[in-house]
Amino acid sequence: MNEEARGQQDEPELLRDQVQQVLRHRVLVAGGLIAGLLAGGWFAFGSAPTYESSSEVLVRAATINPYAASGISVDKQVNIGSERQTAAGNAVAARAALKLGRGPADVGDLQSHLQVTNPPDTLVLKFSYVAGSPRAAARGANAFAEAYLDYREKQTAGTVATMVKGYQNQLNPLAKQREDLLKQIDRLQGDTEKSTVLAAQANLLSQITQLTNSISELKALDTTPGYVTVTAEPPTGAEGLGTPLLIALGGVVGLALGLLGAWLRMIFDPAARSAETVARALRAPVLGALPKAPEEPLLAPDGALAEQYRSVAFRLAYDRHFADRRRLLVVEPNGEGTTAAAVAVNLTACFAETGMSALLVEADLRRPGLDGRLPEAPGARAGWANGRTAEGNPWPGGRHITVDAGESGTFELVPGTRVPHVARTLTSAATTRLIDQADAPNTTVVVLAPPVLSYADALALVDRVDGVVVVCDPRTTARTALERVRELIDGAGGQVLGAVLHPAGSARRGRRRGAGATAVPARARALPTETVTRDTLSSGTR
């Protein structure tokens, strides 16, 4: 239950961390925002304004008496769906083109600007026309409405004329036959024959009457197809969202796309990127972040960089694990190890500044480079640094150097040297006795090892120097690499005390310089009281 509650408490922190990581990709976010604003501006200013006007027509069926009640409802007499298709058809568009003074070739273009709709549960057709000017939009809508009514009236009138002609063709033979019967009746003398002919005449008159009535009804039909209930007027404003809203909408869409791109970049980015990610991968705190600085000497002069090193040393002094052992292993996950060398040198100087006896051991025996890059102080060395090792072992029983750190004092350096068997040398008894010098009172030993993921040298030293500080650039170091470093150190019995972050290129020096580098300038002033005092570090490491 406690773990579940702790996980719920960590959710806001994780969300905040993810938001911060997304916002670190400022180029993607700003690029999306700018692209959205430009797209919105292009739609607002680059496209021509359009205007829409509408007219409405009430559709009705042809009838003799529109006010007489009939057995069929009006909506059953008119198929509004078919009428809508007719209104949007080519025949109506051709008539509208004539009214607008356009040719037959423009029929398709006119239809592309027209939209015919039918409001639900009505017999109303709404003609909406879009044009480049308000007047043209109104003229187009009215022209289509009138063209539809003219077409429907002509269609109805043509149907009536066709039916009248058909009835008339049936009536003409009957009228001739009636005239023949009348002549026959005048010639007949017998009552029986006359009565038969009179009966045929009556039947013929009935048919003639029905046809005559049908013709009369058709001629009396009101063929008006409908009425214009709303006449289109020139619109007062253009269609669309307007210039400010289009630009704002483009900015919102662009910002959303930029954030999406930044989120995808964060998801698929293997680099740690942030201090929080480094801390989670190593399961250790971030002790400090070195400021971005130009090429500087290995031993940093007073300034922001020196203060950051003092802050890291201050935090290490109050770490209980380091205070008990006073052994520190400085490594990088991969790379050239140049930044780790600068961190190891400056942390050793910070410990020496507190009055402690500090020893820096360069355990990078594959690419040694500290010898000649640090100023050597004249005078005798400390007795515990006098290499009490087996005879014939070139390292660590070879040359020891007393480094002049300016007002920070001096510290001892055991420079690295190339040996035939690196692993055997690092695990030798002489190396163990040298590192055990940290057991002496008021003494600290800092060991510099090559990158963990490049060589196994650092793992060979972990059982002797179990407190490890990892130096890395979060923008170029993968999360999986940091997790792998932690797993290797834990498996070797060590403990990651924390991480020191640095920007890319802040310590790219030394490897490309010759062995005869110039001496390092001394620090300008002593360690300030508010950062790390000699008493606090001494008390923290006793």
Side-chain angles (χ1 to χ4, degrees):
M1 185 66 181
N2 292 334
E3 294 181 357
E4 181 179 357
R6 191 181 302 109
Q8 293 177 355
Q9 293 176 358
D10 291 342
E11 288 181 0
E13 296 293 336
L14 293 176
L15 180 61
R16 188 181 301 110
D17 182 32
Q18 290 182 357
V19 172
Q20 291 176 352
Q21 291 188 44
V22 167
L23 295 179
R24 283 190 178 94
H25 301 283
R26 299 181 182 88
V27 175
L28 286 174
V29 177
L33 178 60
I34 294 174
L37 291 175
L38 292 177
W42 182 84
F43 279 109
F45 299 103
S47 57
T50 58
Y51 300 87
E52 181 178 355
S53 185
S54 301
S55 62
E56 296 182 1
V57 173
L58 176 62
V59 182
R60 62 181 293 274
T63 181
I64 298 175
N65 183 6
Y67 301 103
S70 60
I72 303 176
S73 61
V74 178
D75 58 341
K76 300 299 182 182
Q77 299 178 31
V78 178
N79 188 336
I80 195 65
S82 299
E83 295 298 328
R84 186 176 66 250
Q85 293 180 353
T86 300
N90 293 338
V92 175
R95 287 179 174 271
L98 293 177
K99 292 180 179 293
L100 294 173
R102 307 280 289 273
D106 299 327
V107 171
D109 180 64
L110 293 175
Q111 285 181 299
S112 65
H113 292 77
L114 175 70
Q115 183 179 13
V116 182
T117 57
N118 167 234
D121 301 326
T122 65
L123 295 177
V124 175
L125 292 179
K126 184 177 181 180
F127 295 82
S128 300
Y129 191 80
V130 178
S133 65
R135 188 166 175 268
R139 288 183 61 233
N142 290 327
F144 268 96
E146 295 171 1
Y148 166 74
L149 292 176
D150 292 346
Y151 175 77
R152 290 295 290 120
E153 186 171 8
K154 182 179 180 180
Q155 188 182 47
T156 305
T159 302
V160 170
T162 301
M163 294 181 67
V164 168
K165 184 177 180 181
Y167 285 144
Q168 192 66 46
N169 292 336
Q170 296 180 37
L171 183 60
N172 290 336
L174 293 178
K176 184 178 180 182
Q177 186 178 358
R178 177 175 174 274
E179 291 177 357
D180 294 340
L181 287 176
L182 289 175
K183 293 178 182 180
Q184 186 178 358
I185 290 172
D186 292 341
R187 290 194 304 267
L188 292 176
Q189 300 297 328
D191 294 337
T192 303
E193 294 178 352
K194 186 178 288 189
S195 61
T196 302
V197 174
L198 289 174
Q201 182 186 18
N203 186 25
L204 186 60
L205 288 174
S206 176
Q207 294 181 25
I208 292 173
T209 302
Q210 290 180 359
L211 290 174
T212 303
N213 291 336
S214 296
I215 292 174
S216 299
E217 289 180 356
L218 286 174
K219 290 183 177 181
L221 279 177
D222 182 8
T223 58
T224 303
Y227 307 98
V228 177
T229 58
V230 176
T231 303
E233 298 291 340
T236 57
E239 289 294 306
L241 301 178
T243 300
L245 192 56
L246 275 176
I247 295 177
L249 182 61
V252 171
V253 174
L255 180 61
L257 293 177
L259 290 174
L260 177 61
W263 180 76
L264 292 176
R265 180 73 175 85
M266 179 197 71
I267 292 298
F268 295 104
D269 187 7
R273 291 288 175 186
S274 66
E276 294 80 4
T277 306
V278 173
R280 283 198 301 268
L282 293 176
R283 296 181 185 176
V286 174
L287 301 175
L290 304 182
K292 187 175 182 179
E295 295 289 335
E296 293 182 359
L298 191 61
L299 188 60
D302 263 342
L305 187 58
E307 292 300 328
Q308 192 60 244
Y309 284 125
R310 292 186 179 106
S311 176
V312 173
F314 177 78
R315 296 191 64 177
L316 286 171
Y318 280 90
D319 186 278
R320 184 174 60 182
H321 183 83
F322 175 75
D324 292 341
R325 301 274 293 170
R326 296 191 306 282
R327 294 172 173 85
L328 186 64
L329 181 66
V330 181
V331 294
E332 284 185 304
N334 43 35
E336 299 179 359
T338 54
T339 309
V343 172
V345 168
N346 285 276
L347 287 182
T348 307
C350 289
F351 291 128
E353 193 172 9
T354 64
M356 301 178 63
S357 295
L359 172 64
L360 174 59
V361 179
E362 185 183 12
D364 188 354
L365 305 183
R366 301 178 187 273
R367 297 179 302 175
L370 293 184
D371 189 9
R373 297 174 59 197
L374 296 174
E376 184 174 354
R381 291 175 284 119
W384 57 270
N386 280 331
R388 296 186 293 271
T389 60
E391 294 184 0
N393 190 351
W395 192 92
R399 179 169 175 258
H400 289 189
I401 300 174
T402 301
V403 177
D404 182 7
E407 293 190 7
S408 297
T410 60
F411 63 88
E412 300 299 322
L413 169 65
V414 179
T417 183
R418 296 183 181 275
V419 295
H421 303 287
V422 175
R424 185 182 305 171
T425 303
L426 293 177
T427 56
S428 64
T431 303
T432 303
R433 286 194 298 270
L434 177 65
I435 296 175
D436 287 343
Q437 300 294 338
D439 293 335
N442 200 28
T443 302
T444 299
V445 175
V446 178
V447 181
L448 172 63
V452 179
L453 300 180
S454 301
Y455 307 100
D457 300 355
L459 302 180
L461 296 167
V462 166
D463 60 343
R464 297 166 178 79
V465 190
D466 51 359
V468 181
V469 170
V470 179
V471 182
C472 67
D473 178 10
R475 293 175 297 180
T476 58
T477 305
R479 295 186 296 268
T480 55
L482 295 174
E483 294 172 356
R484 179 62 177 162
V485 168
R486 174 182 53 80
E487 293 173 356
L488 292 174
I489 293 174
D490 290 346
Q495 179 180 352
V496 179
L497 301 181
V500 176
L501 309 183
H502 68 90
S506 64
R508 295 293 182 261
R509 53 188 178 270
R511 297 292 182 190
R512 296 185 296 270
R513 296 184 181 178
T518 58
V520 181
R523 301 191 177 190
R525 56 187 175 87
L527 185 64
T529 306
E530 62 272 18
T531 307
V532 183
T533 64
R534 182 173 301 179
D535 295 336
T536 54
L537 273 180
S538 299
S539 61
T541 54
R542 286 195 182 99

Short mmCIF file of all heavy atoms in Angstrom, two decimals, residues 412-466:
data_model
loop_
_atom_site.label_atom_id
_atom_site.label_comp_id
_atom_site.label_asym_id
_atom_site.label_seq_id
_atom_site.Cartn_x
_atom_site.Cartn_y
_atom_site.Cartn_z
N GLU A 412 49.18 14.87 -3.82
CA GLU A 412 50.08 13.90 -4.43
C GLU A 412 49.41 13.26 -5.64
O GLU A 412 48.21 13.01 -5.65
CB GLU A 412 50.46 12.82 -3.42
CG GLU A 412 51.17 13.34 -2.20
CD GLU A 412 52.46 14.04 -2.55
OE1 GLU A 412 53.16 13.54 -3.46
OE2 GLU A 412 52.78 15.06 -1.93
N LEU A 413 50.20 13.01 -6.66
CA LEU A 413 49.73 12.37 -7.89
C LEU A 413 50.58 11.15 -8.17
O LEU A 413 51.81 11.23 -8.20
CB LEU A 413 49.80 13.35 -9.06
CG LEU A 413 49.59 12.74 -10.46
CD1 LEU A 413 48.17 12.19 -10.60
CD2 LEU A 413 49.88 13.77 -11.55
N VAL A 414 49.92 10.03 -8.38
CA VAL A 414 50.59 8.83 -8.89
C VAL A 414 50.23 8.74 -10.36
O VAL A 414 49.14 8.27 -10.72
CB VAL A 414 50.14 7.57 -8.12
CG1 VAL A 414 50.83 6.34 -8.70
CG2 VAL A 414 50.42 7.71 -6.65
N PRO A 415 51.06 9.25 -11.24
CA PRO A 415 50.70 9.28 -12.67
C PRO A 415 50.68 7.87 -13.25
O PRO A 415 51.41 6.98 -12.82
CB PRO A 415 51.80 10.14 -13.29
CG PRO A 415 52.96 9.98 -12.39
CD PRO A 415 52.40 9.81 -11.00
N GLY A 416 49.83 7.71 -14.23
CA GLY A 416 49.75 6.41 -14.90
C GLY A 416 50.90 6.21 -15.87
O GLY A 416 51.53 7.16 -16.33
N THR A 417 51.17 4.97 -16.15
CA THR A 417 52.21 4.62 -17.11
C THR A 417 51.78 3.34 -17.80
O THR A 417 50.99 2.56 -17.27
CB THR A 417 53.56 4.41 -16.40
OG1 THR A 417 54.56 4.14 -17.38
CG2 THR A 417 53.51 3.26 -15.41
N ARG A 418 52.26 3.14 -18.98
CA ARG A 418 51.88 1.95 -19.74
C ARG A 418 52.58 0.72 -19.15
O ARG A 418 53.78 0.75 -18.87
CB ARG A 418 52.24 2.11 -21.20
CG ARG A 418 51.46 3.24 -21.88
CD ARG A 418 51.79 3.31 -23.36
NE ARG A 418 51.07 4.41 -23.99
CZ ARG A 418 49.82 4.33 -24.46
NH1 ARG A 418 49.17 3.17 -24.34
NH2 ARG A 418 49.23 5.37 -25.01
N VAL A 419 51.81 -0.33 -18.97
CA VAL A 419 52.33 -1.58 -18.41
C VAL A 419 51.92 -2.72 -19.33
O VAL A 419 50.93 -2.62 -20.08
CB VAL A 419 51.79 -1.81 -16.99
CG1 VAL A 419 52.30 -0.73 -16.04
CG2 VAL A 419 50.28 -1.87 -16.98
N PRO A 420 52.65 -3.84 -19.29
CA PRO A 420 52.30 -4.96 -20.19
C PRO A 420 50.97 -5.61 -19.86
O PRO A 420 50.19 -5.94 -20.75
CB PRO A 420 53.47 -5.94 -19.97
CG PRO A 420 54.57 -5.12 -19.39
CD PRO A 420 53.92 -4.05 -18.59
N HIS A 421 50.66 -5.76 -18.56
CA HIS A 421 49.43 -6.43 -18.15
C HIS A 421 48.65 -5.49 -17.23
O HIS A 421 48.95 -5.36 -16.04
CB HIS A 421 49.76 -7.74 -17.41
CG HIS A 421 50.60 -8.69 -18.23
ND1 HIS A 421 50.09 -9.40 -19.29
CD2 HIS A 421 51.92 -9.02 -18.13
CE1 HIS A 421 51.05 -10.15 -19.81
NE2 HIS A 421 52.19 -9.93 -19.13
N VAL A 422 47.64 -4.82 -17.80
CA VAL A 422 46.90 -3.81 -17.05
C VAL A 422 46.09 -4.44 -15.94
O VAL A 422 46.12 -3.99 -14.78
CB VAL A 422 45.99 -3.00 -18.01
CG1 VAL A 422 45.13 -2.03 -17.23
CG2 VAL A 422 46.83 -2.28 -19.05
N ALA A 423 45.34 -5.48 -16.25
CA ALA A 423 44.46 -6.08 -15.24
C ALA A 423 45.27 -6.63 -14.08
O ALA A 423 44.89 -6.47 -12.91
CB ALA A 423 43.64 -7.19 -15.89
N ARG A 424 46.41 -7.26 -14.36
CA ARG A 424 47.24 -7.82 -13.29
C ARG A 424 47.81 -6.71 -12.42
O ARG A 424 47.90 -6.83 -11.20
CB ARG A 424 48.36 -8.65 -13.90
CG ARG A 424 49.23 -9.38 -12.88
CD ARG A 424 50.34 -10.12 -13.59
NE ARG A 424 49.80 -11.03 -14.60
CZ ARG A 424 50.57 -11.67 -15.49
NH1 ARG A 424 51.89 -11.49 -15.47
NH2 ARG A 424 50.01 -12.47 -16.38
N THR A 425 48.17 -5.59 -13.04
CA THR A 425 48.74 -4.48 -12.27
C THR A 425 47.68 -3.84 -11.37
O THR A 425 47.95 -3.50 -10.21
CB THR A 425 49.32 -3.43 -13.23
OG1 THR A 425 50.30 -4.05 -14.06
CG2 THR A 425 49.94 -2.28 -12.46
N LEU A 426 46.47 -3.67 -11.90
CA LEU A 426 45.42 -3.01 -11.11
C LEU A 426 44.95 -3.87 -9.94
O LEU A 426 44.47 -3.33 -8.94
CB LEU A 426 44.23 -2.66 -12.01
CG LEU A 426 44.49 -1.59 -13.08
CD1 LEU A 426 43.25 -1.40 -13.93
CD2 LEU A 426 44.89 -0.26 -12.42
N THR A 427 45.07 -5.16 -10.06
CA THR A 427 44.64 -6.05 -8.97
C THR A 427 45.81 -6.51 -8.11
O THR A 427 45.64 -7.40 -7.28
CB THR A 427 43.93 -7.28 -9.57
OG1 THR A 427 44.80 -7.93 -10.51
CG2 THR A 427 42.64 -6.87 -10.27
N SER A 428 46.97 -5.91 -8.30
CA SER A 428 48.15 -6.33 -7.54
C SER A 428 48.06 -5.84 -6.09
O SER A 428 47.29 -4.94 -5.76
CB SER A 428 49.42 -5.79 -8.19
OG SER A 428 49.42 -4.36 -8.13
N ALA A 429 48.89 -6.44 -5.26
CA ALA A 429 48.93 -6.05 -3.84
C ALA A 429 49.47 -4.64 -3.68
O ALA A 429 49.06 -3.90 -2.77
CB ALA A 429 49.80 -7.05 -3.06
N ALA A 430 50.37 -4.22 -4.56
CA ALA A 430 50.92 -2.87 -4.47
C ALA A 430 49.82 -1.84 -4.69
O ALA A 430 49.77 -0.81 -3.99
CB ALA A 430 52.03 -2.70 -5.50
N THR A 431 48.93 -2.09 -5.66
CA THR A 431 47.83 -1.17 -5.90
C THR A 431 46.89 -1.13 -4.69
O THR A 431 46.41 -0.06 -4.29
CB THR A 431 47.06 -1.58 -7.16
OG1 THR A 431 47.96 -1.62 -8.27
CG2 THR A 431 45.94 -0.61 -7.46
N THR A 432 46.65 -2.29 -4.12
CA THR A 432 45.78 -2.34 -2.95
C THR A 432 46.37 -1.56 -1.79
O THR A 432 45.68 -0.80 -1.10
CB THR A 432 45.55 -3.80 -2.53
OG1 THR A 432 44.99 -4.51 -3.64
CG2 THR A 432 44.62 -3.88 -1.35
N ARG A 433 47.70 -1.70 -1.54
CA ARG A 433 48.34 -0.97 -0.44
C ARG A 433 48.30 0.53 -0.70
O ARG A 433 48.14 1.33 0.23
CB ARG A 433 49.78 -1.45 -0.27
CG ARG A 433 49.90 -2.82 0.38
CD ARG A 433 51.33 -3.09 0.85
NE ARG A 433 52.26 -3.08 -0.28
CZ ARG A 433 52.58 -4.17 -0.98
NH1 ARG A 433 52.02 -5.33 -0.68
NH2 ARG A 433 53.46 -4.08 -1.97
N LEU A 434 48.45 0.92 -1.97
CA LEU A 434 48.41 2.35 -2.28
C LEU A 434 47.04 2.94 -1.99
O LEU A 434 46.92 4.01 -1.37
CB LEU A 434 48.79 2.56 -3.76
CG LEU A 434 48.74 4.01 -4.24
CD1 LEU A 434 49.78 4.85 -3.52
CD2 LEU A 434 48.96 4.08 -5.75
N ILE A 435 46.00 2.25 -2.41
CA ILE A 435 44.64 2.76 -2.17
C ILE A 435 44.29 2.73 -0.70
O ILE A 435 43.53 3.58 -0.19
CB ILE A 435 43.63 1.97 -3.02
CG1 ILE A 435 43.92 2.18 -4.51
CG2 ILE A 435 42.20 2.37 -2.71
CD1 ILE A 435 43.05 1.35 -5.43
N ASP A 436 44.87 1.77 0.04
CA ASP A 436 44.59 1.68 1.47
C ASP A 436 45.18 2.82 2.25
O ASP A 436 44.97 2.92 3.49
CB ASP A 436 45.12 0.34 2.02
CG ASP A 436 44.25 -0.84 1.58
OD1 ASP A 436 43.10 -0.57 1.15
OD2 ASP A 436 44.72 -1.98 1.65
N GLN A 437 45.94 3.71 1.61
CA GLN A 437 46.46 4.88 2.30
C GLN A 437 45.31 5.75 2.82
O GLN A 437 45.51 6.56 3.73
CB GLN A 437 47.36 5.70 1.35
CG GLN A 437 48.56 4.95 0.80
CD GLN A 437 49.56 4.58 1.88
OE1 GLN A 437 49.60 5.20 2.94
NE2 GLN A 437 50.35 3.55 1.63
N ALA A 438 44.11 5.59 2.21
CA ALA A 438 42.96 6.37 2.67
C ALA A 438 42.54 5.99 4.08
O ALA A 438 41.75 6.72 4.71
CB ALA A 438 41.78 6.19 1.71
N ASP A 439 43.01 4.85 4.60
CA ASP A 439 42.69 4.48 5.97
C ASP A 439 43.40 5.36 6.98
O ASP A 439 43.03 5.40 8.17
CB ASP A 439 43.06 3.01 6.21
CG ASP A 439 42.19 2.07 5.39
OD1 ASP A 439 41.05 2.49 5.05
OD2 ASP A 439 42.63 0.95 5.08
N ALA A 440 44.43 6.07 6.54
CA ALA A 440 45.13 6.98 7.46
C ALA A 440 44.22 8.14 7.82
O ALA A 440 43.37 8.55 7.03
CB ALA A 440 46.42 7.48 6.81
N PRO A 441 44.36 8.70 9.01
CA PRO A 441 43.49 9.82 9.42
C PRO A 441 43.66 11.02 8.50
O PRO A 441 44.75 11.33 8.03
CB PRO A 441 43.96 10.13 10.86
CG PRO A 441 44.65 8.89 11.31
CD PRO A 441 45.27 8.27 10.10
N ASN A 442 42.53 11.67 8.22
CA ASN A 442 42.50 12.93 7.46
C ASN A 442 43.13 12.75 6.07
O ASN A 442 43.88 13.59 5.59
CB ASN A 442 43.23 14.03 8.22
CG ASN A 442 42.82 15.42 7.73
OD1 ASN A 442 41.71 15.60 7.24
ND2 ASN A 442 43.71 16.38 7.87
N THR A 443 42.83 11.61 5.43
CA THR A 443 43.41 11.29 4.13
C THR A 443 42.29 10.89 3.16
O THR A 443 41.34 10.21 3.55
CB THR A 443 44.43 10.14 4.25
OG1 THR A 443 45.45 10.51 5.18
CG2 THR A 443 45.05 9.84 2.89
N THR A 444 42.43 11.30 1.92
CA THR A 444 41.47 10.96 0.87
C THR A 444 42.23 10.49 -0.36
O THR A 444 43.24 11.09 -0.74
CB THR A 444 40.60 12.17 0.50
OG1 THR A 444 39.86 12.59 1.63
CG2 THR A 444 39.62 11.82 -0.62
N VAL A 445 41.72 9.43 -0.98
CA VAL A 445 42.31 8.88 -2.20
C VAL A 445 41.28 8.97 -3.31
O VAL A 445 40.16 8.48 -3.17
CB VAL A 445 42.77 7.43 -2.01
CG1 VAL A 445 43.27 6.85 -3.34
CG2 VAL A 445 43.86 7.34 -0.95
N VAL A 446 41.66 9.63 -4.41
CA VAL A 446 40.81 9.74 -5.60
C VAL A 446 41.48 8.96 -6.72
O VAL A 446 42.67 9.19 -7.03
CB VAL A 446 40.61 11.22 -6.02
CG1 VAL A 446 39.75 11.30 -7.28
CG2 VAL A 446 39.96 12.00 -4.88
N VAL A 447 40.76 8.03 -7.31
CA VAL A 447 41.29 7.16 -8.36
C VAL A 447 40.59 7.50 -9.67
O VAL A 447 39.36 7.56 -9.75
CB VAL A 447 41.09 5.68 -8.02
CG1 VAL A 447 41.67 4.79 -9.12
CG2 VAL A 447 41.73 5.37 -6.66
N LEU A 448 41.38 7.73 -10.71
CA LEU A 448 40.86 8.00 -12.06
C LEU A 448 41.02 6.74 -12.89
O LEU A 448 42.13 6.24 -13.06
CB LEU A 448 41.60 9.17 -12.70
CG LEU A 448 41.30 9.44 -14.17
CD1 LEU A 448 39.83 9.83 -14.36
CD2 LEU A 448 42.21 10.51 -14.74
N ALA A 449 39.90 6.23 -13.42
CA ALA A 449 39.93 5.00 -14.23
C ALA A 449 39.42 5.30 -15.63
O ALA A 449 38.72 6.29 -15.86
CB ALA A 449 39.06 3.92 -13.57
N PRO A 450 39.76 4.46 -16.60
CA PRO A 450 39.26 4.67 -17.96
C PRO A 450 37.74 4.41 -18.04
O PRO A 450 37.15 3.91 -17.08
CB PRO A 450 40.05 3.64 -18.79
CG PRO A 450 40.46 2.60 -17.81
CD PRO A 450 40.68 3.31 -16.51
N PRO A 451 37.10 4.75 -19.14
CA PRO A 451 35.65 4.57 -19.26
C PRO A 451 35.21 3.14 -18.96
O PRO A 451 35.85 2.18 -19.37
CB PRO A 451 35.36 4.95 -20.72
CG PRO A 451 36.45 5.91 -21.08
CD PRO A 451 37.66 5.43 -20.34
N VAL A 452 34.08 3.03 -18.24
CA VAL A 452 33.62 1.73 -17.76
C VAL A 452 33.23 0.83 -18.91
O VAL A 452 33.55 -0.37 -18.92
CB VAL A 452 32.43 1.92 -16.80
CG1 VAL A 452 31.91 0.58 -16.31
CG2 VAL A 452 32.83 2.78 -15.63
N LEU A 453 32.50 1.37 -19.89
CA LEU A 453 31.99 0.54 -20.97
C LEU A 453 33.03 0.27 -22.04
O LEU A 453 32.78 -0.54 -22.94
CB LEU A 453 30.76 1.21 -21.60
CG LEU A 453 29.59 1.45 -20.65
CD1 LEU A 453 28.43 2.10 -21.38
CD2 LEU A 453 29.14 0.14 -20.01
N SER A 454 34.19 0.92 -21.96
CA SER A 454 35.26 0.66 -22.94
C SER A 454 36.24 -0.40 -22.45
O SER A 454 36.70 -1.23 -23.22
CB SER A 454 36.01 1.97 -23.24
OG SER A 454 35.14 2.95 -23.77
N TYR A 455 36.56 -0.35 -21.15
CA TYR A 455 37.50 -1.30 -20.55
C TYR A 455 36.93 -1.77 -19.22
O TYR A 455 36.10 -1.11 -18.60
CB TYR A 455 38.88 -0.66 -20.34
CG TYR A 455 39.44 -0.02 -21.59
CD1 TYR A 455 39.36 1.36 -21.77
CD2 TYR A 455 40.06 -0.78 -22.57
CE1 TYR A 455 39.88 1.96 -22.91
CE2 TYR A 455 40.59 -0.19 -23.71
CZ TYR A 455 40.48 1.18 -23.88
OH TYR A 455 40.97 1.75 -25.00
N ALA A 456 37.43 -2.91 -18.77
CA ALA A 456 37.01 -3.46 -17.47
C ALA A 456 37.92 -3.02 -16.34
O ALA A 456 37.81 -3.54 -15.23
CB ALA A 456 36.97 -4.99 -17.55
N ASP A 457 38.81 -2.03 -16.58
CA ASP A 457 39.76 -1.62 -15.55
C ASP A 457 39.05 -1.06 -14.34
O ASP A 457 39.45 -1.32 -13.19
CB ASP A 457 40.71 -0.57 -16.13
CG ASP A 457 41.49 -1.11 -17.32
OD1 ASP A 457 41.34 -2.31 -17.63
OD2 ASP A 457 42.22 -0.33 -17.95
N ALA A 458 38.01 -0.24 -14.56
CA ALA A 458 37.31 0.36 -13.42
C ALA A 458 36.65 -0.71 -12.56
O ALA A 458 36.62 -0.60 -11.32
CB ALA A 458 36.26 1.35 -13.92
N LEU A 459 36.12 -1.76 -13.17
CA LEU A 459 35.47 -2.82 -12.39
C LEU A 459 36.48 -3.58 -11.55
O LEU A 459 36.15 -4.10 -10.47
CB LEU A 459 34.73 -3.78 -13.34
CG LEU A 459 33.66 -3.12 -14.23
CD1 LEU A 459 33.02 -4.17 -15.12
CD2 LEU A 459 32.61 -2.45 -13.36
N ALA A 460 37.74 -3.65 -12.03
CA ALA A 460 38.77 -4.31 -11.23
C ALA A 460 39.13 -3.52 -9.99
O ALA A 460 39.69 -4.07 -9.03
CB ALA A 460 40.02 -4.53 -12.09
N LEU A 461 38.81 -2.21 -9.97
CA LEU A 461 39.13 -1.36 -8.82
C LEU A 461 37.95 -1.15 -7.89
O LEU A 461 38.11 -0.58 -6.82
CB LEU A 461 39.63 0.00 -9.32
CG LEU A 461 40.93 -0.01 -10.11
CD1 LEU A 461 41.12 1.33 -10.80
CD2 LEU A 461 42.10 -0.31 -9.18
N VAL A 462 36.75 -1.57 -8.30
CA VAL A 462 35.55 -1.26 -7.52
C VAL A 462 35.59 -1.92 -6.15
O VAL A 462 35.14 -1.34 -5.15
CB VAL A 462 34.29 -1.68 -8.31
CG1 VAL A 462 33.05 -1.71 -7.40
CG2 VAL A 462 34.05 -0.72 -9.46
N ASP A 463 36.12 -3.13 -6.06
CA ASP A 463 36.15 -3.79 -4.75
C ASP A 463 37.12 -3.11 -3.80
O ASP A 463 37.08 -3.34 -2.59
CB ASP A 463 36.51 -5.27 -4.92
CG ASP A 463 37.87 -5.46 -5.56
OD1 ASP A 463 38.37 -4.49 -6.16
OD2 ASP A 463 38.41 -6.58 -5.47
N ARG A 464 38.03 -2.23 -4.33
CA ARG A 464 38.94 -1.49 -3.47
C ARG A 464 38.46 -0.06 -3.25
O ARG A 464 38.64 0.50 -2.18
CB ARG A 464 40.35 -1.47 -4.09
CG ARG A 464 40.98 -2.86 -4.23
CD ARG A 464 42.18 -2.82 -5.15
NE ARG A 464 42.84 -4.11 -5.26
CZ ARG A 464 42.40 -5.10 -6.01
NH1 ARG A 464 41.31 -4.93 -6.75
NH2 ARG A 464 43.04 -6.26 -6.04
N VAL A 465 37.90 0.51 -4.31
CA VAL A 465 37.36 1.88 -4.22
C VAL A 465 35.88 1.78 -4.57
O VAL A 465 35.49 1.92 -5.73
CB VAL A 465 38.09 2.82 -5.21
CG1 VAL A 465 37.69 4.27 -4.93
CG2 VAL A 465 39.58 2.64 -5.13
N ASP A 466 35.05 1.50 -3.59
CA ASP A 466 33.66 1.16 -3.88
C ASP A 466 32.77 2.38 -4.05
O ASP A 466 31.61 2.26 -4.45
CB ASP A 466 33.10 0.27 -2.77
CG ASP A 466 33.33 0.86 -1.39
OD1 ASP A 466 33.94 1.94 -1.31
OD2 ASP A 466 32.91 0.23 -0.40
#
